[in-house]
Amino acid sequence: MAERELLLSIDNGTQSLKALVFDPNGNMVAREQILFTPYFSVQPGWAEQDPRVFWNALCQACRKIFMTSGIDKARIAGVALTTQRGTVVNVDKNGRPLRPAILWLDQRKCYDLPPLGGLWGLLFKVTGLAGTLAYFQSEAEANWIRINQPAIWAQTHKYLFLSGYLNFRLTGEYKDSIGSQVGYLPFDYKRLRWARSWDWKWRCVPVDPDQLPQLLTPGQPLGVVSSQASRETEIPAGLPVIAAAADKACEVIGSGSIDPSVGCLSYGTTATINVTHNRYIEPIPLLPAYPSAVPGSYTVEVQVYRGFWMVNWFKEEFGFPEQEAAKKTGVTAEDLFERLIKDIPPGSMGLMLQPFWTPGIRTPGPEAKGAIIGFGDIHTRAHVYRSIIEGLAYALREGKERIEQRSHTAISSLRVSGGGSQSDQAMQLTADVFGLPATRPHLYETSGLGAAIGTAVGLGIHPDFETAMGAMTRPGAHFEPDPANQRLYDQLYRQVYKRMYRRLKPLYEKIRQITGYPE
């Protein structure tokens, strides 16, 4: 009999799905990636995808990994799933999708909803948070579906995040991880459970409790791979499916830290800074701490919605020469951008970027826009590209300071993951802007590794999360701040960047009033 010691992770991102196999020491044994079109847009600002695209990619990736890796399936001990956050799926009584999934990137809003009444409404009004509450209502996808597609809402048997839908396809059971609950649903982030019946969230969305899945803590079994799922994926039937968490939460533990003094940066499509705490701490009042991939803990997060998406934006709008060169040389356009900025000095010769290409809720607010100031005749595309990375680092440093202020815990080092972490220049720049040592994890696939850590604990391969992380994660390349660059960036951050939003906010509000954008 083969020893069951390998861990299968499924990582469903925005642009691809990966099947990954790890051993109990955190070594990646096999990897397969299936690319897909992230979404389609029937209307400007919409982002939808057929949920079956995700399931078919999962099936294809799993079949392919067993076919090409030579791994004996009998060695697989269990499977866990981590997905993009906030993508919702409506299914009927047979578990079939009723409409395309609405992705986290979708920007539609539901206006003219009646304000919350009663004591809750009065409380929000008195505390000056009525606007935040209205934002929650307008952003909730369930409200839009109920008002604009009432027949579909009437047929909705279960209303699931993408993780809940894929777990159902794997096991046939409507169960999901507490660690995957990030979005506009009546979830109690402090108590890590569905909100109690009297909570205001139930009055802001049309969801009933029986439309939601049963929740389990990370590391608990969600079920086993069904015979039907086994036929489609070639994952052995009866294999335990273990609760993991959302992709950002898995990235944090896959990066090797649950210490609140370590800031975990994710340079992904959305850029974030996270720390793990045992206490519930809202980074901004009424904006919750999210569930951690470690049971009973919280990940305190500040995000820049358009993070390293900005790199793709630059590539599409200004990177034609690099795209053409990439086709001819086989080198990626991103690698060519690295060469482009090699000789651009820190500070981009005074070019300062504020990365609010998408507005926020409170800080920045819904009026916010992106800005670049400091142009001179010496500036080139290369300066703009470097200023993008610097602007993201400035914004995340501001998030770090907000977390420190709210948590009363200093962040003394950084772990950096996500696509942007593969750039040595971005890593050094990050260390310089923050004035802190920055380290890459030992491998790039931190979301999948975080899911595998949960599987290892759930199956008893490791006794607890701390032991599992000690065995399965370790630091990779390390970057120390350059003292001269640190001094330069600190002055630009304190004397310029931190003043930009406050000074420009009245102008953003005027632009919004005049043009109607953003809505």
Side-chain angles (χ1 to χ4, degrees), residues 157-158 208-213:
H157 175 61
K158 294 290 182 182
D208 294 326
D210 60 4
Q211 289 179 296
L212 300 172

Side-chain angles (χ1 to χ4, degrees), residues 36-110:
F36 48 74
T37 302
Y39 59 85
F40 59 85
S41 299
V42 177
Q43 298 285 346
W46 290 18
E48 298 181 317
Q49 185 55 275
D50 186 338
R52 291 168 295 192
V53 168
F54 302 123
W55 174 248
N56 290 339
L58 187 156
C59 296
Q60 189 178 348
C62 290
R63 290 195 302 264
K64 193 173 180 182
I65 205 167
F66 291 129
M67 182 187 305
T68 61
S69 67
I71 292 173
D72 182 355
K73 296 179 190 178
R75 295 177 63 196
I76 304 293
V79 58
L81 175 81
T82 181
T83 71
Q84 54 182 275
R85 305 185 301 192
T87 292
V88 293
V89 182
N90 301 63
V91 299
D92 64 16
K93 290 184 178 180
N94 297 311
R96 290 191 293 261
L98 290 163
R99 66 174 319 285
I102 300 180
L103 266 67
W104 65 276
L105 287 164
D106 193 281
Q107 297 180 45
R108 78 187 78 187
K109 292 176 174 60
C110 194

Side-chain angles (χ1 to χ4, degrees), residues 257-297:
S257 175
I258 51 174
D259 186 328
S261 69
V262 179
C264 292
L265 272 62
S266 173
Y267 278 152
T269 304
T270 293
T272 60
I273 179 167
N274 301 71
V275 295
T276 302
H277 274 274
N278 292 325
R279 293 183 293 122
Y280 177 78
I281 301 165
E282 294 181 346
I284 300 172
L286 209 65
L287 297 184
Y290 296 139
S292 168
V294 178
S297 297

Side-chain angles (χ1 to χ4, degrees), residues 25 33 61 80 119 123 156 166 199 208 212 219 240 274 276 305 318 325 328 333 347 364 400 434 468 481 501-502:
N25 296 315
Q33 181 176 25
L119 291 175
L123 178 63
T156 298
L166 292 178
D199 194 290
D208 294 326
L212 300 172
N274 301 71
T276 302
Y305 189 76
F318 306 107
K328 295 175 182 177
K400 163 194 168 284
F434 279 78
Y501 178 60
R502 186 177 72 253

Side-chain angles (χ1 to χ4, degrees), residues 15 32 59-60 89-90 100 194 233 316 382 390 395 467 478 498:
Q15 302 179 69
E32 288 294 342
C59 296
Q60 189 178 348
V89 182
N90 301 63
W194 294 126
T233 65
E316 295 300 321
E390 290 174 337
T467 303
H478 184 79
K498 288 200 74 174

Side-chain angles (χ1 to χ4, degrees), residues 236-259:
L239 199 69
V241 178
I242 304 298
D247 53 3
K248 296 293 184 184
C250 283
E251 274 188 26
V252 172
I253 65 169
S255 297
S257 175
I258 51 174
D259 186 328

